[in-house]
Amino acid sequence: TRCAAVSSFDHDDTKNDSHAELRKRIAKWTPTAAVDSDSVFLAPSGMAAIYTALRSARRYHKSGGGGKSIVFGFPYLDTLKLCSRPELVKDGVEFFGLGDAGDIENLERLLSKNPKSFSALFTEVPSNPLLQCPDVHRLAELAKEHDFCLIVDDTISNWLNIDVLESGLADAVCTSLTKLVSGRGDAIAGSVVTNPHTPRGRWMRDDLLLQRDQENALFGADA
């Protein structure tokens, strides 16, 4: 039965429109339908969505080396672990665990000393489980100034409750659909929504559209 199920679902929306339908629903859930379904990408889990966004941000980085990652605020721990893995981010990660005004100042000093050395900053709005909210406006300014991708994990709040897309704050938003769509933990899934309102978000959308058939997609039955 499992083999039959696998053979009946694949990543081609012409054969299985469940992926396309889920992308359309997610696009409608964003504030004032701020994105279209071409900006929504599905992943097998929330952490796979983080991985997908990280890979894209590193491809965006101009130096060719991929650059360092930044984790701002105390995150769901696996996000920090993922950004720390040398086979994924060989230059490592800078971790600002408090995510407060003092850490903003420390981040500004780091960026001024190491311009163009970073590919992505990950933060949670609000954080899981402490429910802290960083100064996303200032982080967005720094991302623009230093040309790295600002990626927000909004799993606790989701697109229906906060606006980091139409506002132009985040370049991409990662969400655990396990919690948001099902709410029962009986289907594991994640999504990356790239932001058409920022230049880096548009670049990530075009990049991930090229990768869509090459990356591991969400299993059809779960979609």
Side-chain angles (χ1 to χ4, degrees):
T1 302
R2 176 67 175 177
C3 292
V6 170
S7 65
S8 65
F9 290 102
D10 60 28
H11 306 158
D12 185 348
D13 289 335
T14 62
K15 297 180 180 179
N16 172 27
D17 63 2
S18 59
H19 294 84
E21 179 62 26
L22 182 54
R23 292 188 190 106
K24 289 178 182 177
R25 288 190 183 187
I26 291 171
K28 290 179 180 178
W29 290 335
T30 61
T32 63
V35 306
D36 59 28
S37 59
D38 281 343
S39 296
V40 179
F41 301 88
L42 304 177
S45 68
M47 284 312 304
I50 296 285
Y51 170 82
T52 298
L54 174 63
R55 289 285 299 272
S56 182
R58 286 178 59 76
R59 286 190 289 266
Y60 173 81
H61 193 256
K62 301 299 192 297
S63 72
K68 280 188 173 184
S69 297
I70 301 166
V71 174
F72 193 85
F74 199 89
Y76 181 67
L77 190 57
D78 284 351
T79 298
L80 180 59
K81 290 181 177 179
L82 189 69
C83 291
S84 303
R85 294 182 62 164
E87 69 272 28
L88 300 179
V89 187
K90 67 178 182 179
D91 296 322
V93 62
E94 296 287 346
F95 177 41
F96 296 86
L98 297 177
D100 57 8
D103 270 354
I104 288 281
E105 294 177 0
N106 293 333
L107 174 60
E108 290 172 342
R109 284 193 289 268
L110 174 68
L111 293 172
S112 65
K113 292 179 181 178
N114 303 274
K116 312 300 182 184
S117 298
F118 296 90
S119 58
L121 185 150
F122 287 86
T123 193
E124 297 179 356
V125 183
S127 65
N128 179 10
L130 300 180
L131 301 181
Q132 295 174 330
C133 291
D135 185 349
V136 189
H137 289 272
R138 184 57 185 144
L139 294 179
E141 292 171 354
L142 292 171
K144 181 178 179 180
E145 179 182 352
H146 295 277
D147 199 26
F148 58 77
C149 299
L150 175 55
I151 301 166
V152 168
D153 182 340
D154 74 342
T155 294
I156 296 297
S157 55
N158 74 67
W159 327 275
L160 296 171
N161 294 302
I162 64 168
D163 174 19
V164 293
L165 290 168
E166 189 179 27
S167 62
L169 293 174
D171 296 307
V173 173
C174 296
T175 306
S176 171
L177 302 181
T178 308
K179 303 169 184 67
L180 173 62
V181 175
S182 170
R184 297 176 179 271
D186 58 355
I188 300 175
S191 69
V192 180
V193 178
T194 58
N195 195 346
H197 304 288
T198 71
R200 290 172 301 280
R202 291 190 292 271
W203 189 96
M204 291 181 71
R205 177 197 60 201
D206 293 343
D207 173 65
L208 291 176
L209 281 172
L210 292 174
Q211 308 296 325
R212 178 173 280 170
D213 292 332
Q214 301 174 29
E215 301 283 349
N216 290 327
L218 175 62
F219 180 58
D222 287 336

